[in-house]
Amino acid sequence: MIKTAPDAWQDIRDAVRALCAEFPDEYHRKIDEQRAYPEAFVDALTKAGWLAAMIPQEYGGSGLGLTEATVVMEEINRSGGNSGACHGQMYNMGTLLRHGSKAQKELYLPRIASGEWRLQSMGVTEPSTGTDTTRIKTTAVKKGDRYVINGQKVWISRVQHSDWMILLARTTPLAEVKKKSEGMSIFMVDLRAAEKSGLTVRPIPNMVNHETNELFFENLEIPEENLIGQEGQGFKYILDGLNAERTLIAAECIGDGYWFLDRVTKYASERVVFGRPIGQNQGVQFPIAESYIEVEAANLMRFESCALFDAGKPCGAEANMAKYLAAKASWEAANACIQFHGGFGFANEYDVERKFRETRLYQVAPISTNLILSYVAEHLLGLPRSF
Ligand SMILES: Cc1cc2nc3c(=O)[nH]c(=O)nc-3n(C[C@H](O)[C@H](O)[C@H](O)COP(=O)(O)OP(=O)(O)OC[C@H]3O[C@@H](n4cnc5c(N)ncnc54)[C@H](O)[C@@H]3O)c2cc1C
């Protein structure tokens, strides 16, 4: 492994690394080839309590902060795994924790902490509106003590491996609200029950082994007690969770970045062409060194975002910038890694092509690079609003 400065979370790193070591490259490669879900890996993480890191102790979790949660995700990706299979729980649970009622927290959180229930899914994106979330067309209409859901979602991940989903739907039509961000609400959806009464799930085969789906809602009825927080405030609640999500994903990209750097430095030191290791050529060294600098710099912004979040301070700027820097750094590291593995970078057994595909996603999801640039231009630099 390449050297990284020791930090305050070495105990967590060592423990997660020990667990991950039981799931070597062959395991993740086979799961990827079979387009399967890493059930045993997620189960082991759950049993060890890592996926309940941010659940307060009174609800059966470890009561740790976002900082520690990001260290867990980083180590999973650095080990060669893909946190995309399970990271949803870390930030979805935060929405429930911050905005759920006491009764909801008592119902869901202990069961999530124990692993009885998984809360891995969040349904926001829609096919006809994309990033323009306030225009979503999925509606939730109150009927007696129930809400009736109609509409469509796309790219909703881990639905088949989660018991619950947080769903964003319009409860007041766009034309009837003062601000476009008002009139949307979030709900807990019992996925297995919903599949029997109005929810159709259609998997989307994709470039990464990422279980993601189109969802069709046709008069799906859900009990009113599944509304989280106040009706009409859902968009604000979802936004609250996004800073945690962006910071967690930044940490995953940093884990990926180190993984690529570990692999490429080893390979470039051992592979001899023209009578010397390829890593002796500066044309090979420099892109690797550049990637290392970029991953290290992204890491600083990630910890800045974590520190602010854990102190309860605004961290929108840092979370967005950390995600941007880390996704870019891991992508550059991926490019250097595949390039200097030559033909072997394309062979499945080296795992480089798999990780290359996995890290590419983070330029687009959960928020695309352009939208982060737009946030920085408008909110940090005061440039005129574009949309
Ligand atoms: C594997 C995968 C898993 C996902 N999982 C989930 C999930 O679990 N839940 C969920 O709700 N969503 C999920 N998503 C959706 C994801 O968040 C969106 O794909 C992403 O936010 C981009 O939205 P879009 O695909 O609709 O792109 P669009 O909004 O159609 O944008 C397309 C491109 O145009 C650019 N663009 C759009 N508008 C502008 C503008 N004004 N200025 C500059 N550029 C612009 C964007 O940057 C983007 O690159 C997932 C997506 C993928 C691929």
Side-chain angles (χ1 to χ4, degrees), residues 129 131-136 170 174 180-182 184 235:
T129 46
T131 315
D132 196 359
T133 309
T134 57
R135 289 186 197 277
I136 58 165
R170 264 223 169 266
L174 187 57
K180 61 183 181 175
S181 56
E182 290 171 355
M184 285 173 276
F235 187 66

Side-chain angles (χ1 to χ4, degrees), residues 5 7 34-35 46 68 78-79 91 122 129 150 156-157 172 179 204 206 221 255 270 302 313 328 332:
D7 62 23
Q34 295 173 345
R35 286 294 193 255
T46 308
E68 290 80 7
R78 187 168 186 177
S79 80
Y91 47 83
M122 177 172 72
T129 46
N150 279 288
I156 310 307
S157 303
T172 308
K179 278 169 71 182
I204 308 175
N206 62 89
E221 293 193 11
E270 291 170 358
R302 160 268 187 108
K313 294 187 180 154
K328 193 162 178 275
E332 293 304 334

Side-chain angles (χ1 to χ4, degrees), residues 122 124-125 130-131 155-157 210 212 361 364-366 368 370-371 387:
M122 177 172 72
V124 174
T125 309
T131 315
W155 301 116
I156 310 307
S157 303
H210 194 105
T212 190
L361 174 65
V364 171
S368 72
N370 270 3
L371 268 288
F387 51 86

Side-chain angles (χ1 to χ4, degrees), residues 46 49 51-63 88-120 163-164 166 188 228:
T46 308
L51 297 185
M54 290 177 77
I55 296 182
Q57 286 177 338
E58 58 181 303
Y59 296 114
S62 326
Q89 190 143 305
M90 291 284 196
Y91 47 83
N92 287 334
M93 182 280 303
T95 307
L96 201 54
L97 192 62
R98 277 188 305 276
H99 306 291
S101 65
K102 192 163 180 290
Q104 285 172 331
K105 288 184 213 175
E106 282 168 359
L107 173 67
Y108 296 107
L109 294 178
R111 288 176 174 84
I112 295 169
S114 72
E116 185 187 336
W117 284 344
R118 285 183 187 164
L119 174 58
Q120 292 282 8
D163 300 287
W164 293 89
I166 293 181
M188 291 292 286
I228 304 176

Side-chain angles (χ1 to χ4, degrees), residues 2 6 20 29 169 173 178 209 216 219-220 278 289 326 331 346 383:
I2 52 160
C20 291
R29 195 181 310 142
K178 280 201 208 97
N209 179 28
F216 302 87
N219 295 321
L220 170 70
I278 56 167
W331 178 235
F346 295 82
L383 288 164

